[in-house]
Amino acid sequence: MLIGLTGKNGSGKGEVANFLMSSGYQFFSLSDVVRDEVRSRGLGVTRENLIVTANEMRAGLGAGVLAEKVLQKIGPDAHAVIDSIRNPFEVEALRRRKGFYLISIEADPKTRFERTKARNRENDPKTYDEFLALEAREAHTNDPTTQQLNRTAGMADAVIENSGTVDELKEQVRQVITALAADTERPGWDDYFMEIAKVVALRSNCIKRKVAAVVVLDKRIISTGSNGTPRGVKNCSEGGCPRCNHFGPSGDKLEQCLCSHAEENAIVQAAYHGVSIKGATIYSTYSPCLICTKMIINSGLAEVVYSRSYSIEETPLKLLNEAGVKVRQLEEKK
């Protein structure tokens, strides 16, 4: 899960972030991106410089730039809390990542002002009127690239009213996170194994196309394979396969190709280690060629699940159907 925090000055975002960090969440802040930029410009890290620099970055690099830079630092399997979200475009950028939820932390202005006085930061407003004036400036403007706290809060998936004690705040956070976690979508088994196959494809040494296959039995991976030249032979990407390096038409002169295909390697690897694949399912990033199709049938594989269509798939798919091997194509994820 990625938990985004938005809220006005003194609302308690930092307290929520610290609580989630103590629970094991990684911490990221859009403000840290701005601080780094402020320092690179040789400026002092003041509230005014942070606001001006952030607005300039949004205007010059896109309104969602701060969120995009933070997302580059967060792994796909991370539980993280992201602080200082102040613009609707930042929310939109973060929502492109599955499992992101925005929480708005709110409290009445007088309570928030007293909190800012208590923390006694050098650049915080000293009077209530100054506090309200700064808040009005941050809450809404006609420029979509500036801070838009009101509109951002309106996009929240949940709202936490923080006018009580710290313990009450933590209990609200527990309840909200629990409810959001129950709504978090886990990948189905097909998506899970196909995404693993896409990672396996990164090991391919073929210069033309990276393909991978994963053999699964009882929801357990028992063999993997990617396309490339045989063990001990110069890698295709280093010139090991003349046919691939000639860059001829896809599917043409396969009999001259020195590369083993992904499905072929997955089946052979299982045989090499003495692992039976009878009745298993093979997940492949592309539909199989004719040679791999015959290996699939004769090895006893029961099902083929593929993502993209290969240019010469018509005959292989007919043969698989005739042999009673189930075939499914997954809709490719955007």
Side-chain angles (χ1 to χ4, degrees):
M1 294 179 69
L2 300 186
I3 302 299
L5 301 178
T6 191
K8 295 178 180 178
N9 198 15
S11 61
K13 300 187 300 298
E15 197 67 52
V16 174
N18 287 334
F19 175 57
L20 290 176
M21 288 170 62
S22 71
S23 301
Y25 279 67
Q26 297 179 40
F27 175 78
F28 298 90
S29 173
L30 272 61
S31 292
D32 287 343
V33 176
V34 186
R35 288 188 185 93
D36 291 342
E37 179 65 21
V38 168
R39 293 189 185 101
S40 73
R41 297 181 182 187
L43 303 174
V45 183
T46 65
R47 187 175 182 83
E48 182 64 26
N49 284 342
L50 287 171
I51 292 173
V52 171
T53 302
N55 291 343
E56 289 177 355
M57 291 178 70
R58 294 188 192 101
L61 300 173
V65 61
L66 303 182
E68 291 163 0
K69 287 182 176 293
V70 164
L71 280 177
Q72 292 172 5
K73 303 177 182 180
I74 304 176
D77 58 341
H79 275 346
V81 55
I82 305 172
D83 195 9
S84 305
I85 301 170
R86 298 186 172 94
N87 184 282
F89 288 99
E90 293 165 354
V91 180
E92 291 179 4
L94 291 165
R95 282 204 168 126
R96 297 189 195 111
R97 178 77 69 90
K98 283 186 177 180
F100 172 78
Y101 299 95
L102 180 67
I103 300 177
S104 177
I105 314 299
E106 300 181 359
D108 67 85
K110 287 190 176 180
T111 298
R112 292 187 288 101
F113 175 63
E114 291 302 321
R115 289 174 182 160
T116 61
K117 284 174 59 180
R119 70 190 184 189
N120 197 30
R121 291 179 183 171
E122 181 180 351
N123 297 304
D124 279 339
K126 304 306 179 186
T127 69
Y128 187 52
D129 287 341
E130 290 175 352
F131 178 84
L132 292 178
L134 177 61
E135 186 164 283
R137 203 172 90 198
E138 296 179 351
H140 175 74
T141 70
N142 293 324
D143 184 351
T145 64
T146 60
Q147 294 192 30
Q148 303 274 331
L149 290 177
N150 287 350
R151 286 183 57 205
T152 303
M155 301 172 73
D157 299 288
V159 175
I160 291 178
E161 180 63 35
N162 180 27
S163 297
T165 66
V166 173
D167 286 341
E168 290 171 338
L169 173 64
K170 290 180 178 179
E171 182 56 31
Q172 285 192 76
V173 174
R174 288 189 193 98
Q175 293 178 10
V176 167
I177 297 295
T178 300
L180 294 176
D183 188 50
T184 301
E185 181 183 352
R186 297 170 65 198
W189 288 112
D190 282 344
D191 291 334
Y192 173 71
F193 290 123
M194 191 61 75
E195 288 303 313
I196 291 175
K198 291 176 182 178
V199 174
V200 174
L202 299 177
R203 285 290 303 165
S204 165
N205 68 56
C206 182
I207 197 169
K208 288 192 65 176
R209 190 197 312 264
K210 291 184 181 293
V211 185
V214 173
V215 179
V216 175
L217 185 64
D218 296 329
K219 297 183 174 62
R220 182 169 58 93
I221 295 173
I222 57 177
S223 182
T224 67
S226 57
N227 62 325
T229 45
R231 183 185 287 113
V233 176
K234 183 189 293 186
N235 288 338
C236 176
S237 55
E238 298 171 336
C241 178
R243 180 258 178 189
C244 288
N245 282 266
H246 181 66
F247 284 89
S250 178
D252 187 42
K253 297 182 180 178
L254 288 179
E255 71 281 358
Q256 298 178 15
C257 185
L258 300 186
C259 289
S260 297
H261 286 191
E263 301 92 334
E264 177 184 1
N265 271 333
I267 293 169
V268 170
Q269 284 299 313
Y272 183 85
H273 293 287
V275 178
S276 173
I277 60 175
K278 183 179 180 181
T281 296
I282 186 166
Y283 287 84
S284 181
T285 54
Y286 281 84
S287 58
C289 72
L290 184 58
I291 294 173
C292 288
T293 293
K294 290 184 284 188
M295 294 185 70
I296 287 168
I297 294 169
N298 286 340
S299 65
L301 286 165
E303 184 177 27
V304 174
V305 182
Y306 67 96
S307 179
R308 298 179 181 178
S309 296
Y310 190 32
S311 58
I312 54 171
E313 71 169 0
E314 184 177 355
T315 299
L317 294 185
K318 285 182 179 179
L319 195 62
L320 288 168
N321 288 325
E322 182 180 347
V325 178
K326 291 172 61 178
V327 180
R328 290 186 292 125
Q329 181 176 14
L330 295 186
E331 181 180 348
E332 191 167 6
K333 301 298 181 181
K334 300 288 186 177

